């Protein structure tokens, strides 16, 4: 091996490393655009059945069907936003005038009532609170700052919303635009197999996101009914938030439970702990458990078995692994990403037994 060959090899390796670094840096800089593309892709998958229905049933032209579908999504988006904006503005106004010391005192009283209800020594608990000054260490002033940050974030949100809707329009109008773009950077000899894979992935993910939307709707209805029955304020908003948190596998329901407990107790702040706060909180949590049972034994199995054609144990392991590697974001995208990988593996690696075993349900 000559020195020239070694030098060329080193230069080639350095060039590859530099190219990878530049690519990663570029992807990091345009991460917001990537997020817009992903969200737009999800919206196009959800909207595709509507577009097909309008075109086949009512003979809508392509553009009119897409515009109508986008209007449906806009109505849904602004409907959800209209639930939260009045609450945020109202709470922002209230918190700007809020006596933080009074809020802190109310929470301390709620804590003491809870300790007393469960038979602990109130005097000792009060003395320990005074000695440790634990509650005084909590910075309740962060609450108005948090609300102000949310309000100020609506500017960037509006830009992102416009970008997503603009991209979604073209994805819906030409469902092959994304696959065609990917094909231009991949070897031409694999075009036919890649197109078949893209169609299968599109169909599976359309069913998955549609099923996920149905799952969230079922949870939303159950949460709303429960909260309305027990007179919890802002029941629809709380139900929407808790249902959306369920997008995060396994972790989302835990956060939802915490939110329900916190908001249920705070909505009755100042009333009797034994007669009002504790019973209502327990009833709400009982309803929450029922909702989770319905979700775990009905909604999720239906989605996994009918949409992505994967075994629940298989999905569980994939979500856990993705969570360990990439955190919350990994858990959210685990199922769609794994589904896409399964389809591609079946098309290009079908000679391996393990691939055949994992993808045997995709032909059903």
């Amino acid at each position: 091996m000559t020195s020239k060959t070694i030098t060329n090899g080193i230069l080639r390796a350095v060039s590859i490393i530099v190219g990878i670094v530049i690519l990663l840096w570029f992807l990091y800089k345009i991460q917001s655009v990537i997020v817009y593309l992903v969200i737009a892709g999800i919206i196009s998958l959800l909207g595709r059945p509507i577009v097909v229905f309008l075109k086949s049933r009512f003979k809508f032209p392509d553009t009119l069907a897409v515009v109508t579908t986008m209007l449906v999504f806009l109505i849904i988006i602004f409907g959800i936003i209209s639930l939260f904006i009045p609450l945020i503005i109202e709470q922002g106004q209230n918190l700007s005038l809020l006596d933080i010391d009074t809020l802190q005192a109310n929470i301390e009283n709620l804590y003491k009532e809870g300790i007393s209800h469960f038979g602990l020594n109130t005097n000792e608990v009060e003395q320990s609170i005074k000695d440790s000054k634990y509650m005084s260490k909590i910075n309740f002033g962060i609450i108005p700052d948090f609300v102000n940050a949310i309000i100020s974030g609506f500017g960037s949100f509006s830009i992102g919303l416009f970008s997503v809707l603009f991209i979604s329009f073209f994805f819906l109008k030409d469902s092959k635009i994304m696959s065609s773009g990917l094909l231009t950077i991949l070897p031409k000899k694999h075009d036919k197999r890649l197109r078949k894979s893209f169609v299968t992935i599109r169909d599976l993910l359309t069913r998955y996101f549609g099923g996920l939307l149905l799952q969230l709707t079922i949870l939303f209805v159950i949460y709303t009914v429960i909260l309305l029955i027990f007179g919890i304020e802002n029941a629809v908003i709380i139900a929407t938030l808790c249902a959306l948190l369920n997008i995060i596998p396994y972790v989302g329901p835990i956060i939802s439970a915490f939110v329900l407990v916190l908001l249920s107790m705070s909505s009755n702040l100042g009333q009797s702990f034994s007669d009002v706060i504790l019973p209502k909180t327990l009833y709400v949590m009982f309803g929450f458990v029922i909702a989770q049972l319905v979700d775990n034994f009905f909604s999720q199995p239906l989605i996994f078995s009918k949409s992505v054609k994967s075994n629940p144990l298989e999905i569980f392991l994939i979500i856990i692994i993705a969570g360990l590697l990439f955190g919350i974001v990994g858990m959210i995208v685990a199922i769609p990403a794994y589904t896409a990988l399964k389809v591609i593996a079946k098309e290009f690696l079908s000679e391996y037994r393990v691939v055949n075993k994992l993808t045997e349900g995709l032909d059903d």
Side-chain angles (χ1 to χ4, degrees), residues 191-208:
D191 276 8
K192 184 176 180 181
R193 301 168 73 181
L194 286 170
R195 290 182 187 278
K196 180 181 177 181
S197 298
F198 289 146
V199 171
T200 304
I201 292 171
R202 183 192 64 189
D203 293 340
L204 288 174
L205 292 186
T206 298
R207 289 202 295 265
Y208 168 72

Side-chain angles (χ1 to χ4, degrees), residues 36-261:
Y36 296 158
L37 288 171
V38 171
I39 297 175
I42 294 173
I43 291 177
S44 65
L45 289 173
L46 290 173
R48 181 172 168 270
I50 302 177
V51 172
V52 173
F53 175 77
L54 292 175
K55 290 168 62 176
S56 61
R57 184 67 180 271
F58 298 102
K59 308 302 179 183
F60 277 29
D62 287 346
T63 302
L64 182 59
V66 172
V67 170
T68 304
T69 303
M70 295 300 296
L71 288 175
V72 171
F73 279 115
L74 280 173
I75 292 172
I76 295 173
I77 291 172
F78 284 110
I80 294 175
I81 293 175
S82 66
L83 291 175
F84 288 93
I85 286 182
L87 177 65
I88 292 174
I89 294 175
E90 179 185 351
Q91 293 301 317
Q93 293 173 345
N94 292 338
L95 289 172
S96 64
L97 303 173
L98 184 65
D99 185 349
I100 300 300
D101 293 333
T102 302
L103 175 62
Q104 181 173 336
N106 287 337
I107 294 180
E108 285 184 7
N109 290 334
L110 180 62
Y111 176 73
K112 293 174 186 177
E113 288 181 15
I115 294 296
S116 177
H117 174 78
F118 290 107
L120 300 177
N121 191 313
T122 308
N123 293 329
E124 292 181 1
V125 174
E126 290 179 359
Q127 187 61 43
S128 64
I129 291 176
K130 291 179 181 179
D131 293 340
S132 64
K133 297 182 180 180
Y134 175 75
M135 297 302 293
S136 64
K137 296 177 182 178
I138 300 177
N139 182 17
F140 290 91
I142 198 174
I143 300 176
D145 296 336
F146 177 71
V147 174
N148 291 332
I150 293 177
I151 295 174
S152 63
F154 272 104
S156 58
F157 171 78
S158 60
I159 296 174
L161 178 61
F162 173 79
S163 302
V164 168
L165 292 176
F166 185 79
I167 298 170
S168 300
F169 174 82
F170 289 98
F171 279 180
L172 283 169
K173 194 171 186 301
D174 184 3
S175 60
K176 298 180 180 180
I177 187 171
M178 184 179 293
S179 59
S180 299
L182 290 174
L183 286 174
T184 58
I185 61 175
L186 296 173
K188 189 175 181 180
K189 61 180 180 180
H190 299 311
D191 276 8
K192 184 176 180 181
R193 301 168 73 181
L194 286 170
R195 290 182 187 278
K196 180 181 177 181
S197 298
F198 289 146
V199 171
T200 304
I201 292 171
R202 183 192 64 189
D203 293 340
L204 288 174
L205 292 186
T206 298
R207 289 202 295 265
Y208 168 72
F209 286 114
L212 184 62
L213 187 61
L214 175 62
Q215 176 193 12
L216 299 183
T217 303
I218 293 173
L219 286 173
F220 165 76
V221 171
I222 297 175
Y223 289 153
T224 302
V225 171
I226 293 169
L227 295 173
L228 288 175
I229 288 175
F230 298 108
I232 304 300
E233 295 181 1
N234 302 311
V236 175
I237 298 174
I238 297 172
T240 303
L241 177 61
C242 292
L244 290 175
L245 284 171
N246 216 73
I247 291 176
I248 308 173
Y250 309 119
V251 178
I254 297 175
I255 301 175
S256 297
F258 176 77
V259 170
L260 279 177
V261 169

Side-chain angles (χ1 to χ4, degrees), residues 30 33 35 52 126 132 147-148 228 277 281-282 287 295 356:
I30 65 166
V33 178
V35 172
V52 173
E126 290 179 359
S132 64
V147 174
N148 291 332
L228 288 175
I277 296 178
T281 303
L282 291 177
D295 182 59
N356 284 326

